[in-house]
Amino acid sequence: MLSDRHTRANSALKPHFFGKCALGLCLALGISGTAFAQSMVVRSVGPSASDFPAGKKLAADSKVTLKSQDQITIVSKTGTRVLKGPGTFTLNRRNLASSTTSTRLASFINNRGRTRGRTGAVRGAGTEAAVVAPRSPNLWFLDVTKGGKFCVANPNALVLWRPDYTGSASASIVEPINGGITQVEWRKGSPLKAWPKTAAPVSNGASYQLIGSNVPKSVAVSFVVLETQPQDLDEAAAALIENGCQSQLDLLVDTIGTGPSTDSDEG
């Protein structure tokens, strides 16, 4: 009797369970397919710039025809491509991002990246290696050396980041209207410092001047508070382009990595 009851229960459960599993699998595949199905223009110069404005999305199999002096930068989860005219270029998905790259990119965009951002070295034409300045490990950390508009994903958790953390340092946050000054300090070896949100409130349109003790010049920052936290590459790039947060857009493109320039696919 118990066995019959158990069998009937399992029979009733299976269609519902497997239906849910199938739906979940389809959604996962659908989301993954959509995520990799298109690219976005993030930079564009030259005669065809108006045809490829920043923020324009292109299907995976699009063909892009450029004129002489054209140059556009296209970003996707596989990385970035710089296309230079004249020529016709075919976009495709030949090299899908690895799971490690996808995880790193997700942490960078979803406000989880908290590593220091190491300095690297690139071998140039000569024998000397050129030192490359470290990049912020998180798209939403405010770089004390960068000015302009800055998009804030979470006003209550804004973090200041400094590229040179070899010694101790300080910075003055100046409110330009009333002249109020708030001082912050970093210990030696620490690149991060919480923004003093009580003394210097973070709100949409609020502006501050940052004067660092070990940076070459002061910078002026104007905050743009986003309504929602971008969850993926497309949302992040679109938000930064729409709100004019150029330094973060440059950081996003550089973090994904720029591949070599591509020659014309067709004559």
Side-chain angles (χ1 to χ4, degrees):
M1 185 67 152
L2 181 60
S3 176
D4 291 343
R5 195 175 294 171
H6 180 70
T7 301
R8 287 196 300 271
N10 279 344
S11 299
L13 176 62
K14 283 180 180 178
H16 179 67
F17 174 77
F18 286 114
K20 272 193 168 182
C21 288
L23 176 60
L25 180 60
C26 289
L27 286 175
L29 291 174
I31 291 172
S32 176
T34 301
F36 284 102
Q38 60 186 3
S39 302
M40 181 184 296
V41 177
V42 291
R43 295 173 186 159
S44 180
V45 294
S48 304
S50 59
D51 296 327
F52 301 98
K56 181 172 182 175
K57 294 185 177 181
L58 303 169
D61 57 351
S62 293
K63 288 189 176 182
V64 175
T65 299
L66 300 180
K67 302 175 182 177
S68 178
Q69 305 302 315
D70 279 335
Q71 180 173 314
I72 66 173
T73 302
I74 299 173
V75 65
S76 70
K77 283 187 171 60
T78 65
T80 60
R81 292 181 68 185
V82 180
L83 308 181
K84 296 181 179 180
T88 297
F89 308 85
T90 301
L91 305 182
N92 54 49
R93 296 184 287 165
R94 283 175 292 187
N95 299 311
L96 295 181
S98 67
S99 59
T100 301
T101 301
S102 298
T103 300
R104 177 178 58 81
L105 186 59
S107 297
F108 177 75
I109 292 175
N110 292 326
N111 221 358
R112 296 195 300 270
R114 300 188 69 85
T115 56
R116 294 171 184 267
R118 298 181 183 277
T119 301
V122 176
R123 184 67 62 184
T127 57
E128 297 295 324
V131 177
V132 179
R135 292 192 300 263
S136 171
N138 188 302
L139 186 60
W140 313 109
F141 287 172
L142 175 55
D143 186 340
V144 297
T145 66
K146 306 292 185 183
K149 288 187 175 182
F150 185 85
C151 289
V152 180
N154 184 353
N156 294 317
L158 180 62
V159 172
L160 285 164
W161 177 84
R162 59 174 181 145
D164 180 4
Y165 50 86
T166 54
S168 60
S170 64
S172 298
I173 301 173
V174 182
E175 205 288 318
I177 297 179
N178 58 32
I181 300 176
T182 303
Q183 197 83 1
V184 296
E185 296 182 353
W186 288 269
R187 297 189 307 272
K188 180 180 179 179
S190 175
L192 307 180
K193 188 70 178 182
W195 177 273
K197 60 183 179 181
T198 301
V202 178
S203 59
N204 194 48
S207 298
Y208 294 94
Q209 186 176 18
L210 305 180
I211 306 173
S213 63
N214 61 349
V215 296
K217 61 180 181 180
S218 64
V219 297
V221 176
S222 178
F223 290 135
V224 178
V225 178
L226 303 180
E227 293 183 1
T228 58
Q229 162 86 45
Q231 296 300 311
D232 57 28
L233 178 61
D234 284 355
E235 289 183 10
L240 299 178
I241 292 171
E242 180 181 354
N243 292 288
C245 300
Q246 189 61 46
S247 64
Q248 286 165 286
L249 181 62
D250 292 340
L251 174 63
L252 179 63
V253 173
D254 292 341
T255 298
I256 296 171
T258 301
S261 299
T262 307
D263 294 329
S264 175
D265 293 330
E266 295 178 8

